[in-house]
Amino acid sequence: MSQLSTAHTPRVVFANGAIDQLAEEIHLLHKARILLISDESASAHAARVKAELGSLIRQTVTSVVMHVPDEFSSPITAKARLLDIDLVVTIGGGSATGLGKIVALDCGIDLLAIPTTYAGSEMTTIWGRTHESKKITGRSLAVLPKTTIYDPELTYSLPLAISANSGMNAIAHAVEALYAPDVTPDVKASAIEGIEIFAVGLRGIVTDIYSPSAREQLLRGSMLCGFALSNSTMGIHHKICHTLGGMFDLPHAQMHSAVLPWAAQYNQDFASEQLNEVAKVLQAPSAALGLWTLAKDIGAETSLRNIGYPIEESEKVADVIEAATFANPRPFERTAVVDLLRKAYEGSRPDDGS
Ligand code: NAD
């Protein structure tokens, strides 16, 4: 049977200095009333864009809150409606893109994203918001940016620690895409190449944080991993991170980095072909050890203890995960899930899988 691709992607512009093409891209979308959202790190870029676009910019937001609490996004959405905004433009990390997605969704308008981290949200149909302190996520084509502008120069300022954890977050998308029930050849190729790029590029910026070639490669890697995330179904790793984020408000990228090796180990015998491929790309005896070693080498987080996870709550976490439905190669096994959480908490070296 031939395999049909149902992949969705934004129009992608990728080049050093590509932010200068923003006016042209807005023109191509036939938009005239813009809400510009930027995070604190992107304030200089936002000021330049604002000066260049002049009266096209009708509303600005210059700070964002992770996981988009409704009480933060609602007044922004209300004002956007009042001003008849027809395009949201975001410059910043996944939190800025995330706010842009919610405004786009609630107002029924288009989004153009300019990412400055490796989170990958700018490639996906996935939205997330926090309603009455509970994080909820969903998928909708309405939040897939119409256009994504990747400008590697905007990532030169990303500190090593944020780059490293954000990179591990991107790798997590790719690892889970590989064993997703709906993985396609396109997704598989993107995921493998994405992991390969991050393994090399993240070590590259440890040596030279301003390396233009490493920064360009890393942003390309985040595009590929974001594509893999958007076009496949995530498994237990994302379910655990979503649960921990919702229950304890742990920092997103660090949490992904600490949990990923142990989620890979949990699934090892149930998705051995795919995880052995990850190990091969990472030149390690097992996916778990390769992921953990990469995180260690680049200074990404390897322990949930360091980011405040209350280990005594693991049974409650397991209850929430057990009650959720998600696709994963290995069925839910309480003892093994609690053990996974303990290992991610301790952050010690996985064995070599032999
Ligand atoms: P973030 O956007 O919160 O950014 C982390 C920090 O880095 C912030 O302080 C930010 O100001 C700073 N920063 C961003 N770019 C910078 C730069 N170039 N130079 C210097 N500092 C910079 O974190 P994140 O990890 O990018 O995104 C996390 C959020 O994205 C979470 O809410 C997560 O749920 C969401 N996310 C969503 C998807 C999706 O598909 N919907 C995918 C991945 C992540």
Side-chain angles (χ1 to χ4, degrees):
M1 193 176 75
S2 64
Q3 191 136 19
L4 297 177
S5 173
T6 53
H8 299 290
T9 68
R11 168 183 163 84
V12 171
V13 180
F14 193 116
N16 281 313
I19 195 171
D20 293 339
Q21 293 178 45
L22 176 59
E24 202 180 315
E25 291 301 320
I26 290 170
H27 181 70
L28 287 174
L29 292 171
H30 304 289
K31 303 298 178 187
R33 294 174 303 280
I34 292 160
L35 158 59
L36 177 64
I37 295 174
S38 53
D39 65 24
E40 287 88 343
S41 76
S43 57
H45 305 304
R48 210 158 58 81
V49 161
K50 206 174 158 197
E52 191 192 324
L53 296 182
S55 62
L56 284 180
I57 305 282
R58 303 287 171 89
Q59 184 184 357
T60 54
V61 172
T62 56
S63 67
V64 300
V65 180
M66 199 183 265
H67 306 315
V68 202
D70 278 352
E71 53 278 20
F72 185 75
S73 64
S74 296
I76 297 168
T77 302
K79 189 168 174 194
R81 279 205 191 97
L82 204 67
L83 297 173
D84 201 17
I85 296 293
D86 60 7
L87 179 70
V88 186
V89 172
T90 59
I91 313 177
S95 299
T97 314
L99 173 62
K101 284 181 164 182
I102 292 304
V103 178
L105 185 68
D106 290 352
C107 293
I109 55 178
D110 289 339
L111 172 66
L112 183 156
I114 308 179
T116 63
T117 68
Y118 307 132
S121 177
E122 69 285 348
M123 286 297 288
T124 81
T125 55
I126 303 167
W127 54 263
R129 71 194 317 160
T130 305
H131 178 66
E132 290 173 357
S133 304
K134 194 168 183 299
K135 185 165 178 189
I136 45 177
T137 58
R139 291 192 184 234
S140 167
L141 267 179
V143 304
L144 182 71
K146 283 283 168 297
T147 306
T148 289
I149 297 179
Y150 285 105
D151 184 343
E153 288 173 3
L154 301 192
T155 63
Y156 291 179
S157 57
L158 199 60
L160 188 56
I162 302 181
S163 305
N165 287 304
S166 186
M168 293 303 295
N169 183 193
I171 291 174
H173 307 329
V175 170
E176 292 231 295
L178 284 174
Y179 54 59
D182 49 357
V183 62
T184 61
D186 287 357
V187 166
K188 181 179 173 186
S190 302
I192 295 283
E193 193 181 343
I195 297 169
E196 205 160 21
I197 286 176
F198 274 110
V200 175
L202 290 172
R203 288 188 170 99
I205 58 165
V206 172
T207 317
D208 175 7
I209 194 164
Y210 298 111
S211 163
S213 58
R215 286 300 191 181
E216 188 175 328
Q217 280 300 300
L218 288 170
L219 206 53
R220 191 175 137 64
S222 75
M223 176 178 75
L224 293 170
C225 293
F227 173 84
L229 165 66
S230 191
N231 293 288
S232 65
T233 303
M234 296 290 105
I236 196 162
H237 169 80
H238 279 74
K239 185 51 67 187
I240 288 174
C241 291
H242 181 90
T243 305
L244 297 183
M247 286 174 79
F248 312 111
D249 198 24
L250 303 185
H252 182 82
Q254 291 93 316
M255 178 175 59
H256 272 274
S257 182
V259 171
L260 185 60
W262 304 106
Q265 193 179 71
Y266 180 89
N267 281 327
Q268 177 62 47
D269 293 342
F270 294 75
S272 54
E273 196 184 313
Q274 298 88 330
L275 287 164
N276 290 346
E277 208 151 354
V278 173
K280 194 167 133 207
V281 172
L282 297 175
Q283 299 177 2
S286 70
L289 186 54
L291 293 163
W292 183 89
T293 306
L294 175 62
K296 273 280 175 207
D297 287 354
I298 61 176
E301 191 54 76
T302 51
S303 161
L304 288 178
R305 178 193 278 126
N306 293 341
I307 54 172
Y309 171 57
I311 185 73
E312 65 282 3
E313 299 289 315
S314 291
E315 291 290 344
K316 273 191 210 149
V317 173
D319 287 343
V320 176
I321 294 167
E322 186 172 17
T325 42
F326 58 97
N328 192 62
R330 180 177 180 177
F332 175 86
E333 286 174 41
R334 172 172 290 270
T335 315
V337 167
V338 171
D339 190 49
L340 183 170
L341 291 166
R342 184 185 54 76
K343 286 171 171 158
Y345 178 80
E346 288 168 356
S348 47
R349 186 179 187 276
D351 62 35
D352 64 10
S354 56

